[in-house]
Every structure is written in C-alpha cells, then in structure tokens.
C-alpha cells in the first residue's frame, strides 16, 4: 500500500494539469457550436467525401446537433486521452530503473509481483478518475450549449455508453504501456513510444475505414471503437470491445511474465 500511495502522490500534479487542460479545450471547442452549426452546409462542399469519412464527419446533418458536433470535436481529446493512458503505463516500471529507485524497492520486503500490482492499481485509479471527470465535465458542457428541443435523456444515455467505451479504450493503451515499460530499462523514450503507439493505431483505424480490403485494421484501433460519433450513432460494438479486452488481458499477463524474469539495473 505504501508504493500505491506513493505512485498516486507522484502523478497527482500531472493528473490535475491534464484534467484542467482537457476541460478548457473541450469548453473552447464546444463554445463554437452555436456559430459552427450555421455554416455546416458550406463546409460540406469544401471537402471530399473520403476525407469526411476519415475524420468522422460524413453525416453533416448530425453536426447540427450538440451530440453530433461533440462527437466530431472530442475525437481529438480521445487521442490525448490515449496518450495520457499510454504514458502512465510506459513510465511506470521503467522509471524505477532510470531513477535508481529500484534499489530502494529491492531493499524493502516487497516482491516484483507486488510492485507490478501496486503500480497497475495506482495507474488504474488515476486514469479512471481522469476519465470520469472528463466525461462528466463534457456532459455538463454539452447540456449548457445544447440546441433547443434536444432530448436530455438521450444525451445522458449516449454519454453513459461513450463513458464505458472510452474507459476501455484508455485501459487498452494503459495495459500496452505497462507491457512496453516491462521491457524498457529507461523511461526516456516513454513519451515518444506513447505518441507512436496512439497515432499508429489511430491511423490504422482510418485506413480500415477507407480501404475495405483492410477493414480488419480497425480492430487494432482502440480509438476507433470508442469514438463518440460512432457510439452515439451505433452504440457499443461488442466485437471491438472484445478485441480490446483480449489485448488488455494479454498485455497484463505478459507484463507479469516479462518483469518477473527481467534483469533489473540495481
């Protein structure tokens, strides 16, 4: 429990910064909704259909509603969320070797399994707290800027489904980040690895949507499964969630297997 509390305390400041930035960016983007919905027809004529599908704006009618507009703008927050979760994971285990604190941990009556469990639980708590607050604030902002006549109950229902799908998405990046961290001896490349992981999978989702022969690539894009525009329109697709859950399980098991056999720099 000592390591768990220490991890939570270490990341508390960065968690607060991330939540403040996400809140301000979301509010800023949603504040443009009243003026943007008037120019959607002009915007439609300036972009090719394929490009609109790649950026999830093929249904222009939906963009005139607060839910549809939120689904478009929040996809970029989803990318940032994936990076945040991946960085939590990739920094976690490797940081102890890079900073030399692994020697201190080894002097304590704690096993490698306990180290992994404590770090996973703390990262899980931090990410879940970040996500719950982000979704709650986003829902409140949407209620503030919603168009007249919009159904509040439908919006709340859609947000409930989106909250679950996005939470699973972040856990996927978090677990893969832990797997990468178990193989690293330094966290210097953690940021670049996190960025590369998130953007690579995001691009795979775009390719899967544009090329029917490569449709299967979308299953390797956690962001694609949790996009609010997709969840609001089609609900949660079980096949995507199943793929994410399998990746989470495999990544966690491999993390334990690799880290327990790893030669640590003490």
């Amino acid at each position: 429990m000592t390591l768990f509390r220490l991890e939570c305390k270490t990341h508390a400041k960065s968690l607060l910064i991330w939540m403040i930035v996400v809140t301000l960016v979301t509010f800023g983007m949603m504040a443009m909704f009243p003026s943007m919905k008037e120019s959607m027809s002009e915007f439609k004529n300036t972009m090719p259909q394929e490009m609109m599908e790649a950026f999830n704006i093929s249904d222009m009618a939906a963009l005139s509603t607060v839910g549809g507009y939120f689904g478009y703008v929040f996809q970029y927050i989803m990318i940032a969320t994936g990076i945040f979760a991946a960085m939590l994971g990739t920094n976690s285990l490797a940081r102890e070797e890079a900073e030399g604190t692994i020697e201190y941990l080894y002097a304590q009556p704690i096993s490698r399994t306990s180290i992994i469990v404590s770090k996973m639980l703390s990262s899980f708590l931090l990410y879940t707290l970040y996500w719950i607050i982000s979704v709650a604030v986003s829902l409140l902002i949407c209620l503030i800027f919603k168009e007249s006549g919009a159904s509040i109950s439908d919006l709340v229902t859609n947000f409930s489904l989106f909250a679950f799908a996005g939470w699973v998405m972040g856990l996927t990046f978090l677990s893969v980040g832990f797997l990468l961290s178990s193989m690293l001896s330094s966290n210097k490349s953690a940021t670049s690895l996190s960025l590369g992981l998130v953007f690579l999978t995001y691009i795979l989702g775009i390719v899967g949507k544009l090329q029917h022969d490569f449709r299967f690539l979308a299953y390797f894009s956690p962001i694609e499964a949790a996009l609010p525009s997709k969840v609001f329109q089609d609900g949660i697709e079980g096949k995507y969630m199943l793929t994410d859950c399998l990746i989470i399980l495999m990544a966690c098991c491999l993390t334990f297997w690799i880290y327990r056999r790893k030669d640590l720099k003490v």
Side-chain angles (χ1 to χ4, degrees):
M1 290 298 293
T2 302
L3 180 57
F4 172 81
R5 291 193 297 269
L6 182 61
E7 284 293 301
C8 291
K9 184 178 179 180
T10 299
H11 295 289
K13 184 177 180 180
S14 62
L15 173 65
L16 179 62
I17 293 174
W18 273 86
M19 289 191 297
I20 292 175
V21 171
V22 166
T23 297
L24 292 177
V25 171
T26 303
F27 183 85
M29 292 190 298
M30 291 304 300
M32 295 188 291
F33 170 67
S35 59
M36 284 292 292
K37 68 178 182 179
E38 303 295 335
S39 58
M40 289 303 171
S41 58
E42 298 178 7
F43 183 66
K44 180 178 180 180
N45 298 325
T46 63
M47 293 185 68
Q49 182 65 28
E50 294 78 8
M51 186 66 70
M52 291 196 299
E53 290 180 3
F55 290 96
N56 305 292
I57 52 176
S58 56
D59 187 1
M60 297 300 296
L63 289 179
S64 61
T65 65
V66 70
Y69 180 76
F70 171 82
Y72 166 64
V73 299
F74 202 76
Q75 64 181 317
Y76 303 106
I77 302 297
M78 297 290 287
I79 296 175
T81 296
I83 294 173
F84 171 71
M87 287 181 64
L88 272 179
T90 51
N91 272 296
S92 188
L93 297 172
R95 190 183 72 250
E96 302 295 344
E97 291 184 77
E99 297 178 356
T101 51
I102 190 63
E103 184 176 357
Y104 168 77
L105 289 178
Y106 252 34
Q108 308 302 313
I110 183 173
S111 65
R112 293 194 186 190
T113 298
S114 297
I115 293 174
I116 299 172
V117 171
S118 296
K119 287 180 173 289
M120 281 187 170
L121 287 177
S122 62
S123 296
F124 171 84
L125 176 63
L126 291 167
Y127 167 70
T128 301
L129 181 61
Y130 158 85
W131 184 243
I132 289 175
I133 293 177
S134 297
V135 172
V137 170
S138 298
L139 175 58
L140 178 61
I141 293 173
C142 284
L143 291 176
I144 293 174
F145 292 106
K146 73 178 183 68
E147 69 278 15
S148 59
S151 173
I152 296 179
S153 61
D154 288 347
L155 195 61
V156 172
T157 300
N158 287 335
F159 262 86
S160 300
L161 295 175
F162 164 63
F164 176 74
W167 180 66
V168 174
M169 176 214 74
L171 292 182
T172 305
F173 285 116
L174 180 63
S175 61
V176 174
F178 263 98
L179 176 58
L180 294 173
S181 187
S182 69
M183 296 182 286
L184 297 173
S185 58
S186 172
N187 63 342
K188 292 181 179 179
S189 59
T191 301
S192 57
L193 282 174
S194 300
L195 290 170
L197 174 64
V198 173
F199 282 110
L200 175 61
T201 55
Y202 180 67
I203 291 172
L204 289 178
I206 293 178
V207 173
K209 285 187 297 185
L210 296 181
Q211 301 293 331
H212 293 289
D213 293 338
F214 298 99
R215 183 67 181 174
F216 68 93
L217 292 177
Y219 291 101
F220 297 96
S221 177
I223 295 177
E224 179 65 26
L227 287 172
S229 58
K230 190 178 186 68
V231 175
F232 285 4
Q233 183 175 356
D234 303 323
I236 296 177
E237 295 192 38
K239 52 189 178 181
Y240 286 109
M241 291 294 104
L242 178 60
T243 303
D244 286 350
C245 289
L246 289 175
I247 292 174
I248 292 171
L249 179 61
M250 291 176 59
C252 289
C253 290
L254 286 172
T255 297
F256 279 95
W257 188 83
I258 292 173
Y259 194 73
R260 291 176 62 182
R261 290 161 176 77
K262 182 181 180 182
D263 291 329
L264 301 177
K265 292 183 178 179
V266 179

